[in-house]
């Protein structure tokens, strides 16, 4: 019996390349949304107006891959869980809704609008990660800074952080809750003059 070695190699090539095995799991994509209360029914007309000027997420948290803080002080990136888009773009709508819900301003103007406001608000997310440093506990962790600007002068600044327990594997709910709690806390402590 004659063995056709080139035919066997050609036949085995898909197996060796992993083409006949099960397809790898696609990563799950998660959101960050506003889940808090709706905007106050009646805004205080005496309060100043504000424009959400910008929202940025600092490195290494600004990419779509979910950052994981580990107990040894290192950070990893989850291959199976990602944000559905760049976190800054996901959070802009949630930040706008949080500012409206805070009741601190008479009117809130969206980023990119040509409308003017009394103040500009800049939000910087300095941490956006899944905190796995405590054994057996996974929490969405958010820390941010909000800066109120009039013209080119900083009027006030506040920092806040919040975390939310990851329940049932729902990363969207945990990160949305942590971001909303941190945003409201920062807005509450922001001294508007």
């Amino acid at each position: 019996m004659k063995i056709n070695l080139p035919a066997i190699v050609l036949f085995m090539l898909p197996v060796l390349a992993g083409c006949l095995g099960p397809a790898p799991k696609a990563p799950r994509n998660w959101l960050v949304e506003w889940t808090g209360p709706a905007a106050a029914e009646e805004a205080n007309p005496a309060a100043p107006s504000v424009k959400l000027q910008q929202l940025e997420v600092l490195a290494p948290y600004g990419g779509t891959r979910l950052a994981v803080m580990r107990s040894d002080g290192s950070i990893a990136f989850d291959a199976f869980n990602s944000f559905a888009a760049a976190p800054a773009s996901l959070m802009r709508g949630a930040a706008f809704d949080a500012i409206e819900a805070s009741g601190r301003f008479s009117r809130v103007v969206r980023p990119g609008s040509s409308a003017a406001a009394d103040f500009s608000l800049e939000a910087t997310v300095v941490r956006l990660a899944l905190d796995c440093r405590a054994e057996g506990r996974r929490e969405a962790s958010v820390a941010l800074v909000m800066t109120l600007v009039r013209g080119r002068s900083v009027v006030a600044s506040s920092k806040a952080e919040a975390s939310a327990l990851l329940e049932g594997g729902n990363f969207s709910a945990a990160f949305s809750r942590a971001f909303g709690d941190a945003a409201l806390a920062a807005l509450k402590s922001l001294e508007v003059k």
Side-chain angles (χ1 to χ4, degrees):
M1 176 159 120
K2 187 176 178 183
I3 297 177
N4 187 349
L5 191 57
I8 292 174
V9 170
L10 191 60
F11 175 75
M12 293 298 291
L13 196 57
V15 173
L16 296 173
C19 294
L20 297 180
K25 289 185 179 180
R28 296 181 75 186
N29 297 306
W30 304 97
L31 302 172
V32 179
E33 303 174 296
W34 174 248
T35 58
E41 291 287 324
E42 293 182 32
N44 178 359
S49 59
V50 71
K51 180 176 186 175
L52 177 59
Q53 192 66 36
Q54 71 176 21
L55 187 144
E56 71 174 321
V57 180
L58 297 183
Y61 308 109
T64 56
R65 292 189 327 160
L66 200 125
V68 180
M69 297 185 308
R70 299 188 293 195
S71 60
D72 66 359
S74 66
I75 190 164
F77 293 94
D78 191 330
F80 300 105
N81 293 288
S82 300
F83 290 109
S89 63
L90 291 175
M91 292 178 178
R92 275 188 203 97
F96 180 86
D97 292 340
I99 297 165
E100 279 193 324
S102 75
R104 303 289 313 272
F105 302 96
S106 62
R107 183 173 44 99
V108 183
V109 179
R110 291 197 178 274
S113 171
S114 61
D118 299 320
F119 293 102
S120 295
L121 185 69
E122 299 175 358
T124 305
V125 177
V126 296
R127 183 178 64 245
L128 176 68
L130 185 65
D131 188 347
C132 294
R133 293 176 293 184
E135 191 165 333
R137 190 169 178 87
R138 297 188 313 164
E139 295 180 317
S141 177
V142 176
L144 54 81
V145 176
M146 288 201 176
T147 305
L148 198 60
V149 178
R150 176 178 274 158
R152 292 180 172 258
S153 300
V154 172
V155 175
S157 184
S158 65
K159 299 176 184 178
E161 58 184 82
S163 59
L165 197 59
L166 181 66
E167 297 175 319
N170 189 337
F171 289 85
S172 290
F175 278 100
S176 295
R177 190 168 47 255
F179 177 76
D181 290 350
L184 283 179
L187 287 161
K188 185 177 181 180
S189 64
L190 202 58
E191 292 187 31
V192 181
K193 298 175 185 177

